[in-house]
C-alpha cells in the first residue's frame, strides 16, 4: 500500500509541475503497440488475436456466411423461419438499413495485422519473424479483399471497374483520420502486394487445424484474387504453388496440374468415399482445407443458426436450398447428401442446408468456417486454363473424381467445358460465400425461379424478387450510414 501511495503522489506531482501544453491527452487504457509488441510471444499473441476477430458474428462467424448467399439463386426464403436477412433476399438494402455490414468486422483484424507489420522490426531477423509477418499480411489482404469484392466493382465485372471506387486500405491506425476511397485498381494493388510478400515469407508448416495460414493458403487466395483480376497465368502459377505446398492437407487430391500449354493428365486417383466429405464438414478432417477460422463452443458464436435452428430430426430453416439448385445435383453426386438434408419440419419436406450443422460432438451449428479449399483452387485453375487456351478438362476432372461416386473422365470442349467448370463451381462451393461473387465477376444476371417455393418439391411461396440484371448498382453493397456519419469522406456507392 505504501508503494502505491508514493507512486500516485509522484504522478500527481509530475502532472502539477507540467504546463497544460506539455500534457498528452490519451485514454487511460491506451497502450502504444510499440510498447507491447517486443517479444516473439507478443507478436504470436497479436496475430492469433487477428484470427479471433475474424470469427465475429458479423463476419465469418455468421452474417458473412449468409449475407451474400441470400442474394443468389442458391437459396429460397422459408416463411416458417424467423424472417432474418430478408432485406438481402429481397435486394432492398439501403444506407440507412443495410443488410450487409462488413466494414467493422473486416477493419478490426486488419488493424491488428497492420500493427504487427509496422512493428515487426522489433524482432531480430529470423524464420519466425518472417512467418509472423506473412500471416499478418495474409489477414490484412483477405479482409480487404472481402471488403472490396463486396462494396466495389470486381475488375472483370465491367470496363470501368478498375477506375471506380475501391475501399480504404488500412495500413496504419489513425483514430482521427477521415480517408476517402481509392480506386479499385489501387486497392487490388495493395492486396496483391501483401499476398506476394506473404507468399515469400510465410512458413509451410503452420497448422490448418490450429487456424493458422500457411504458404498453401496464401497461394490459394492469390489464385482467387488473380481470377477476379482476369490474370489467368497468375491464377495457374499460384494455384500450382498451393498444390505444391499443401503436403499433409490434400488427402485424396494429389498430383501436379501442368500449365495450360501442356495437356494436363490427371493422376489415377480413386474416387473418395462419401465419408471424406462428411468429415470435412464435421471438422473431423482437413482434407483439402487450406485455411479455416476455428470456432469452438466456448466462443459463443453459432454460425449455423443463420441457416436453421433445432436438431437433425427437427430443423427449422431460415433459408433452404432452392429446387433449381437441387435439380443440378445428380444422384451420384456425393456432395448432395453432404451439403443438404431432405427432411420434414411440421409435416413438410425441406432441403435444409447442413454444411454448418455442427461438429461430431459439441453444440449444434458450431463449425469451423472454411475460407480457402483446394477444391476452389482447382476450379480457379480449370477456368484460367480454359480462358487462356480452351484447356482445363483434366484439372476439372481432378475435382469431379472426388465429388462423384461413379466418376468417368469427361470429354467436354468449347462452351460445354466452360459451362461444366462453372456448374461444378456452383455445386462444390454452394453456401461458401462464392455464388454471389461469381455472378458478379462474370457480369451475369441473378435469376431465380418465378414458381418454386420453399418446400423440397418446389411448392410453397415463390421469391418476390426473381431477377436482378447484371450491372445493377445493387451488386455493390451500400456503405452503412453510421460509417459515413463517422467519416463523411468515405464516399457512398452510386445509386444509394
Amino acid at each position: 500500500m505504501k508503494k502505491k501511495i508514493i507512486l500516485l503522489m509522484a504522478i500527481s506531482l509530475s502532472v502539477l509541475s507540467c504546463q497544460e501544453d506539455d500534457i498528452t491527452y490519451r485514454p487511460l487504457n491506451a497502450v502504444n503497440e510499440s510498447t507491447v509488441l517486443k517479444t516473439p510471444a507478443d507478436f504470436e499473441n497479436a496475430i492469433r488475436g487477428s484470427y479471433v476477430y475474424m470469427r465475429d458474428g458479423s463476419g465469418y462467424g455468421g452474417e458473412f456466411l449468409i449475407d451474400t448467399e441470400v442474394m443468389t439463386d442458391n437459396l429460397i426464403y422459408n416463411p416458417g423461419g424467423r424472417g432474418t436477412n430478408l432485406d438481402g433476399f429481397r435486394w432492398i438494402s439501403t444506407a440507412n438499413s443495410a443488410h450487409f455490414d462488413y466494414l467493422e468486422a473486416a477493419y478490426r483484424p486488419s488493424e491488428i495485422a497492420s500493427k504487427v507489420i509496422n512493428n515487426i522490426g522489433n524482432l531480430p531477423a529470423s524464420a519466425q519473424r518472417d512467418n509472423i509477418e506473412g500471416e499478418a499480411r495474409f489477414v490484412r489482404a483477405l479482409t480487404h479483399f472481402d471488403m472490396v469484392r463486396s462494396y466495389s466493382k470486381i475488375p472483370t465485372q465491367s470496363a470501368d471497374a478498375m477506375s471506380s471506387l475501391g475501399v480504404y486500405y488500412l495500413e496504419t491506425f489513425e483514430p482521427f483520420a477521415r480517408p476517402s476511397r481509392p480506386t479499385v485498381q489501387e486497392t487490388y494493388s495493395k492486396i496483391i502486394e501483401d499476398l506476394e510478400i506473404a507468399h515469400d515469407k510465410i512458413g509451410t508448416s503452420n497448422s490448418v487445424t490450429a487456424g493458422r495460414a500457411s504458404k498453401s493458403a496464401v497461394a490459394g487466395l492469390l489464385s482467387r484474387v488473380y481470377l477476379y483480376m482476369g490474370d489467368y497465368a497468375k491464377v495457374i502459377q499460384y494455384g500450382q504453388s498451393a498444390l505444391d505446398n499443401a503436403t499433409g492437407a490434400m488427402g485424396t487430391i494429389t498430383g501436379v496440374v501442368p500449365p495450360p500449354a501442356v495437356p494436363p493428365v490427371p493422376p489415377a486417383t480413386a474416387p473418395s468415399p462419401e465419408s471424406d466429405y462428411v468429415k470435412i464438414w464435421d471438422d473431423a478432417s482437413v482434407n483439402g482445407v487450406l485455411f479455416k477460422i476455428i470456432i469452438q463452443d466456448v466462443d459463443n458464436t453459432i454460425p449455423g443458426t443463420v441457416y436453421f435452428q433445432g436438431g437433425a430430426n427437427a430443423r427449422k430453416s431460415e433459408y433452404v436450398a432452392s429446387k433449381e439448385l437441387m435439380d443440378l445435383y445428380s444422384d451420384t453426386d456425393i456432395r448432395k447428401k453432404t451439403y443438404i438434408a431432405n427432411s420434414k419440419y411440421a409435416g413438410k419436406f425441406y432441403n435444409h442446408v447442413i454444411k454448418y450443422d455442427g461438429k461430431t460432438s459439441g453444440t449444434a451449428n458450431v463449425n469451423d468456417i472454411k475460407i480457402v479449399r483446394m477444391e476452389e483452387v482447382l476450379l480457379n485453375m480449370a477456368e484460367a486454363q480454359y480462358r487462356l487456351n480452351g484447356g482445363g478438362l483434366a484439372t476439372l476432372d481432378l475435382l469431379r473424381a472426388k465429388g462423384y461416386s461413379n466418376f468417368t473422365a469427361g470429354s467436354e470442349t468449347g462452351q460445354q467445358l466452360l459451362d461444366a467448370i462453372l456448374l461444378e463451381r456452383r455445386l462444390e462451393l454452394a453456401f461458401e460465400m462464392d455464388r454471389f461473387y461469381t455472378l458478379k465477376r462474370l457480369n451475369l444476371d441473378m435469376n431465380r425461379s418465378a414458381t418454386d417455393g420453399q418446400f423440397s418439391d418446389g411448392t410453397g411461396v415463390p421469391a418476390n424478387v426473381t431477377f436482378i440484371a447484371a450491372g445493377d448498382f445493387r451488386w455493390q453493397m451500400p456503405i452503412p450510414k453510421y460509417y459515413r456519419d463517422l467519416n463523411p469522406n468515405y464516399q457512398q456507392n452510386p445509386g444509394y
Side-chain angles (χ1 to χ4, degrees), residues 149-198:
R149 67 174 176 160
S150 301
Y151 292 101
S152 305
K153 291 183 178 180
I154 291 173
T156 57
Q157 184 180 350
S158 63
D160 67 341
M162 281 299 206
S163 59
S164 63
L165 291 170
V167 298
Y168 170 65
Y169 210 84
L170 198 162
E171 295 173 281
T172 58
F173 179 64
E174 300 175 14
F176 299 109
R178 298 291 181 267
S180 59
R181 297 172 66 182
T183 64
V184 166
Q185 183 169 13
E186 290 168 323
T187 306
Y188 272 80
S189 293
K190 289 184 179 294
I191 291 169
I192 291 296
E193 180 183 10
D194 265 347
L195 287 176
E196 290 192 338
I197 293 173

Side-chain angles (χ1 to χ4, degrees), residues 95-115:
N96 290 334
S97 179
H99 92 279
F100 191 100
D101 182 4
Y102 184 60
L103 288 173
E104 182 179 358
Y107 277 133
R108 290 173 76 188
S110 297
E111 177 191 339
I112 296 177
S114 290
K115 288 179 177 180

Side-chain angles (χ1 to χ4, degrees), residues 167-470:
V167 298
Y168 170 65
Y169 210 84
L170 198 162
E171 295 173 281
T172 58
F173 179 64
E174 300 175 14
F176 299 109
R178 298 291 181 267
S180 59
R181 297 172 66 182
T183 64
V184 166
Q185 183 169 13
E186 290 168 323
T187 306
Y188 272 80
S189 293
K190 289 184 179 294
I191 291 169
I192 291 296
E193 180 183 10
D194 265 347
L195 287 176
E196 290 192 338
I197 293 173
H199 187 262
D200 289 340
K201 295 197 171 201
I202 202 166
T204 58
S205 60
N206 291 348
S207 172
V208 175
T209 56
R212 304 290 292 269
S214 65
K215 191 178 290 287
S216 60
V218 175
L221 182 56
L222 271 164
S223 80
R224 182 192 299 174
V225 175
Y226 275 122
L227 184 68
Y228 279 57
M229 297 178 71
D231 190 336
Y232 303 119
K234 290 284 190 180
V235 174
I236 295 164
Q237 174 188 336
Y238 283 106
Q240 183 65 63
S241 176
L243 280 166
D244 293 343
N245 287 288
T247 304
M250 291 296 296
T252 55
I253 303 177
T254 58
V256 172
V257 181
V262 179
V265 179
T269 303
S272 299
E274 183 175 333
S275 62
D276 279 1
Y277 266 106
V278 173
K279 287 177 181 177
I280 292 168
W281 297 102
D282 285 347
D283 293 332
S285 168
V286 291
N287 183 359
V289 179
L290 303 184
F291 177 67
K292 64 178 181 176
I293 302 296
I294 305 296
I295 300 180
Q296 304 287 352
D297 288 352
V298 295
D299 298 326
N300 198 29
T301 298
I302 310 177
T305 57
V306 298
Y307 279 105
F308 73 82
Q309 300 85 49
N313 298 319
R315 297 183 178 97
K316 181 180 181 180
S317 282
E318 303 289 303
Y319 292 87
V320 292
S322 66
K323 185 176 184 299
E324 183 234 340
L325 175 64
M326 288 297 295
D327 289 345
L328 294 175
Y329 286 102
S330 72
D331 289 338
T332 60
D333 194 324
I334 292 169
R335 299 163 298 192
K336 186 175 185 178
K337 289 191 293 183
T338 307
Y339 295 178
I340 302 160
N342 180 248
S343 61
K344 277 186 177 182
Y345 181 79
K348 294 286 188 178
F349 279 97
Y350 297 85
N351 292 317
H352 305 280
V353 176
I354 59 171
K355 265 191 173 178
Y356 310 100
D357 67 346
K359 305 174 190 286
T360 52
S361 62
T363 303
N365 293 331
V366 174
N367 284 86
D368 299 340
I369 307 303
K370 291 75 181 171
I371 307 298
V372 185
R373 292 201 291 127
M374 200 66 245
E375 288 81 356
E376 182 206 344
V377 174
L378 291 174
L379 289 164
N380 296 343
M381 295 176 76
E383 184 177 337
Q385 289 170 332
Y386 175 83
R387 296 190 186 283
L388 281 173
N389 70 352
L393 176 61
T395 307
L396 177 64
D397 279 348
L398 284 172
L399 176 85
R400 294 194 291 197
K402 183 178 182 182
Y404 293 88
S405 60
N406 65 342
F407 172 74
T408 56
S411 59
E412 299 97 331
T413 60
Q415 185 62 45
Q416 286 186 333
L417 176 54
L418 177 61
D419 291 344
I421 292 169
L422 295 178
L423 172 62
E424 287 304 319
R425 187 174 197 96
R426 185 177 181 186
L427 298 179
E428 177 67 41
L429 302 179
F431 324 121
E432 289 185 59
M433 305 162 282
D434 180 83
R435 178 63 175 167
F436 173 82
Y437 299 111
T438 294
L439 294 173
K440 181 175 176 177
R441 72 177 173 83
L442 297 176
N443 200 34
L444 298 174
D445 302 330
M446 193 285 293
N447 274 298
R448 295 180 180 132
S449 168
T451 57
D452 286 347
Q454 74 273 21
F455 302 124
S456 59
D457 63 359
T459 60
V461 182
N464 62 331
V465 174
T466 58
F467 177 80
I468 300 292

Side-chain angles (χ1 to χ4, degrees), residues 121-162:
N122 290 349
L123 296 180
S126 67
Q128 183 182 21
R129 185 179 87 169
D130 285 348
N131 184 59
I132 291 169
E133 181 181 350
E135 285 188 85
R137 289 186 181 274
F138 171 84
V139 169
R140 186 166 73 178
L142 173 60
T143 53
H144 283 88
F145 175 69
D146 280 339
M147 281 191 284
V148 76
R149 67 174 176 160
S150 301
Y151 292 101
S152 305
K153 291 183 178 180
I154 291 173
T156 57
Q157 184 180 350
S158 63
D160 67 341
M162 281 299 206

